[in-house]
Amino acid sequence: MKSSREVALNAIYDIENNGLYSNLGVNKHLRDSNLKDMDRGFCTELIYGVTENKYFLNYVINSFSKIKAKKLSPHVRNILQMGIYQILFLDSTKDFAAVNESVNLSKKYCKKASGFVNGVLRNVVRKQTEIKYPDKNEDIVKYLSIKYSYEEWIIKNWINKFGQDFTEELVEENNEKPDLYIRTNELKISRDDLIKKLEEQGVECEAVKLVKEAIKVKGLKNIENNELFKRGYYQIQDISSMIIGHVINPSEDDNILDVCSAPGGKTTHLATLMKNTGKVVARDIFDHKLNLIKENTKRLGLNNVDIQKFDATKYDQESLEKFDAVLVDAPCSGFGIIRRKPEIKYKKKKDLEGIPEIQKTILQNSSKYVKKGGLLIYSTCTIEDRENINIVNEFLKLNDDYKLEPIENINVDLENQEDGYIKLYPNIHGMDGFFIAKLRRMR
Ligand SMILES: C[S@@+](CC[C@H](N)C(=O)[O-])C[C@H]1O[C@@H](n2cnc3c(N)ncnc32)[C@H](O)[C@@H]1O
């Protein structure tokens, strides 16, 4: 059986070298392991901790090794990153255990380098108090990009847009562990009763004021095997995403289209708010993701969801003016959910350049499917204007039959919601960074 450190190493390797998202890496590698709850916790901490602090850990490797982190073979680099993370960040791990276990892993995965791993890590243990960040006053971009592990272009961009203080708060918050929220499935159980049942399992619960079905939970482990989850009493979802369901505020018997819907978080919320009446057509382009919508819908006991494979960048004549509301929860850069997917910090600028064009095309096509008088909602989990308000403003220039409508039934971004959109930031609102715009088709 693999140890928690070995499972973590395999996951980190997969995330770094095969482009797997960290949350999927954690799920996949934990599912295939036989680790106990406590070891699963340690393993998860290692995977997220190393992914979140990758550039800083490489900076430390570069300070102690003649061979730069970039030039090391992936296994050697990942074992060193894990070892350094334990030495510098984890009070619960003794330094000698971090070194010995790393050497043992290198004997299995990169035998020739085990002496090198031993040497570097012993040096880090001995000289850990001497490690210094780049000088903050001399180069703030470099300082923040090393301390919080970011591509420099992202920090530069945020300082330009938000200023230095806001950027520092944002990157600090993005390295925090996010709170976990669940959405009560009110078709099966009330929020109060669910809280009682979860508390009987030892889970700490807090009813969230802002969203009537939301519960903040602590100590909910191994969720997929939790009996209450399997019975469909709740869905994991951040508050920002739940807000979208309430911005749309659907009526029973509505006909709604969700053009980018997998894994079905917002689709299932809308279908629940409609009390299993009407219809939510849930589309996406990836088969494996469509299967997730199917699983969630079945578990939650919803029979008003119609799942369809369709590419939203293509125009669908059959959907013309057919829907009371259309949700475009567009693919985006994801800069609002760095706390959950820390690998987003390492995205290259050029890899994101084409995204606004796709968003524009999807929004333009989707606008044609809204009935006269109906709603078009545009949302992303990013904090970049070029993917958010700029897309909406350009859309409005081309489509004078639409206008932004004040968002009234939820109070979360008082600065903007009167004007028809909501901007959420982790460091201000304590939830995922999100953008939501509410557009009404006038004619
Ligand atoms: C932000 S996620 C959607 C999250 C989802 N609304 C939820 O609440 O669970 C964006 C989704 O868009 C899908 N997607 C990307 N390009 C697409 C396209 N051209 N057509 C349809 N879906 C697309 C992705 O597969 C992804 O599932």
Side-chain angles (χ1 to χ4, degrees):
M1 197 179 110
K2 287 182 183 173
S3 69
S4 45
R5 287 183 175 86
E6 186 170 358
V7 176
L9 174 66
N10 296 157
I12 290 164
Y13 182 92
D14 226 1
I15 292 165
E16 189 179 283
N17 299 291
N18 301 328
L20 199 69
Y21 282 129
S22 47
N23 57 338
L24 299 181
V26 169
N27 290 347
K28 176 181 157 196
H29 288 270
L30 282 184
R31 201 178 36 236
D32 298 344
S33 77
N34 290 318
L35 295 177
K36 300 205 181 71
D37 273 356
M38 217 175 80
D39 294 332
R40 291 168 82 93
F42 178 62
C43 181
T44 306
E45 163 89 55
L46 280 179
I47 300 169
Y48 277 115
V50 167
T51 308
E52 200 163 78
N53 294 286
K54 188 163 85 171
Y55 284 5
F56 172 67
L57 296 169
N58 286 349
Y59 173 79
V60 177
I61 294 176
N62 292 346
S63 315
F64 287 93
S65 152
K66 280 200 186 104
I67 312 170
K68 297 289 169 225
K70 241 201 252 167
K71 299 259 165 163
L72 294 169
S73 79
H75 273 127
V76 178
R77 184 173 53 243
N78 294 156
I79 289 170
L80 282 177
Q81 289 165 338
M82 267 174 54
I84 295 171
Y85 180 74
Q86 291 166 69
I87 295 165
L88 300 182
F89 289 81
L90 294 187
D91 294 337
S92 57
T93 311
K94 296 267 181 292
D95 289 351
F96 74 85
V99 178
N100 289 349
E101 293 300 324
S102 303
V103 171
N104 286 341
L105 279 179
S106 57
K107 281 181 183 155
K108 183 160 177 190
Y109 285 86
C110 41
K111 202 165 185 340
K112 280 189 195 146
S114 55
F116 169 75
V117 166
N118 191 28
V120 172
L121 292 182
R122 276 175 189 277
N123 246 334
V124 175
V125 171
R126 249 196 324 268
K127 297 186 182 162
Q128 51 187 298
T129 52
E130 295 168 28
I131 297 168
K132 289 205 173 57
Y133 298 119
D135 189 329
K136 185 174 175 180
N137 295 323
E138 212 166 86
D139 191 341
I140 181 71
V141 173
K142 195 163 199 168
Y143 167 78
L144 291 178
S145 73
I146 295 294
K147 181 165 182 198
Y148 296 99
S149 289
Y150 276 82
E151 277 288 311
E152 287 193 7
W153 75 268
I154 299 173
I155 300 285
K156 253 187 229 159
N157 176 29
W158 285 351
I159 290 180
N160 278 341
K161 218 174 308 162
F162 303 129
Q164 185 174 320
D165 291 348
F166 186 99
T167 302
E168 279 197 70
E169 279 166 32
L170 178 63
V171 292
E172 202 172 306
E173 177 57 35
N174 281 345
N175 266 20
E176 294 296 317
K177 213 169 174 187
D179 290 323
L180 183 63
Y181 293 93
I182 60 175
R183 191 187 79 224
T184 312
N185 180 3
E186 290 180 315
L187 295 180
K188 293 200 175 191
I189 191 167
S190 70
R191 175 162 79 170
D192 286 348
D193 286 346
L194 178 58
I195 288 178
K196 267 188 218 136
K197 284 188 189 295
L198 286 164
E199 284 177 343
E200 279 163 18
Q201 296 184 344
V203 177
E204 269 180 57
C205 298
E206 188 187 316
V208 176
K209 271 204 199 111
L210 188 67
V211 178
K212 67 181 175 55
E213 56 286 68
I215 307 173
K216 180 162 143 185
V217 289
K218 253 192 207 146
L220 182 59
K221 295 198 182 94
N222 211 343
I223 294 164
E224 280 178 19
N225 293 323
N226 182 289
E227 202 41 50
L228 303 172
F229 178 77
K230 284 201 232 166
R231 277 193 230 157
Y233 285 175
Y234 63 88
Q235 173 78 10
I236 309 291
Q237 193 172 42
D238 194 69
I239 301 291
S240 313
S241 291
M242 294 187 216
I243 288 173
I244 293 179
H246 291 290
V247 169
I248 298 178
N249 194 20
S251 305
E252 287 182 29
D253 289 322
D254 266 357
N255 194 23
I256 293 192
L257 173 63
D258 183 352
V259 293
C260 297
S261 68
K266 297 173 194 81
T267 277
T268 53
H269 190 198
L270 291 165
T272 310
L273 289 169
M274 284 156 63
K275 302 202 170 77
N276 243 337
T277 68
K279 190 180 279 177
V280 183
V281 175
R283 291 180 173 169
D284 209 277
I285 32 171
F286 297 114
D287 287 317
H288 67 283
K289 290 195 176 185
L290 289 166
N291 281 336
L292 296 176
I293 310 177
K294 208 190 245 172
E295 280 168 23
N296 280 324
T297 307
K298 190 166 167 223
R299 186 178 51 79
L300 294 165
L302 296 165
N303 44 38
N304 56 345
V305 177
D306 179 5
I307 302 167
Q308 301 176 354
K309 184 172 176 174
F310 194 83
D311 180 348
T313 61
K314 305 274 181 307
Y315 176 65
D316 173 23
Q317 178 65 29
E318 298 213 339
S319 293
L320 187 69
E321 298 190 356
K322 235 177 142 179
F323 295 93
D324 299 291
V326 174
L327 170 60
V328 178
D329 190 29
C332 70
S333 56
F335 285 128
I337 53 166
I338 284 174
R339 296 179 306 169
R340 291 170 208 289
K341 294 184 179 169
E343 60 282 351
I344 288 172
K345 298 192 289 184
Y346 314 124
K347 287 197 173 176
K348 305 279 186 260
K349 195 173 181 182
K350 66 173 173 16
D351 296 339
L352 303 176
E353 264 159 15
I355 292 182
E357 271 316 305
I358 297 171
Q359 293 164 332
K360 273 184 224 165
T361 307
I362 295 180
L363 185 61
Q364 187 60 42
N365 283 341
S366 304
S367 69
K368 303 291 176 212
Y369 312 148
V370 179
K371 287 180 189 168
K372 293 185 177 89
L375 267 187
L376 176 63
I377 302 293
Y378 178 76
S379 62
T380 70
C381 57
T382 194
I383 54 173
E384 299 298 306
D385 282 349
R386 66 193 283 267
E387 298 176 54
N388 292 340
I389 192 67
N390 296 359
I391 299 284
V392 170
N393 284 337
E394 273 197 46
F395 170 80
L396 287 171
K397 263 190 219 153
L398 298 172
N399 299 274
D400 62 2
D401 48 341
Y402 274 94
K403 72 172 204 223
L404 281 163
E405 181 172 280
I407 295 169
E408 277 161 354
N409 49 342
I410 199 140
N411 281 333
V412 66
D413 175 15
L414 301 178
E415 216 174 288
N416 297 308
Q417 63 182 71
E418 264 293 297
D419 296 328
Y421 59 94
I422 288 175
K423 286 177 166 188
L424 299 171
Y425 299 91
N427 53 323
I428 295 182
H429 302 93
M431 52 181 95
D432 286 347
F434 244 84
F435 175 80
I436 307 163
K438 181 181 180 190
L439 296 149
R440 177 76 64 186
R441 180 164 184 188
M442 308 307 293
R443 3 174 232 287

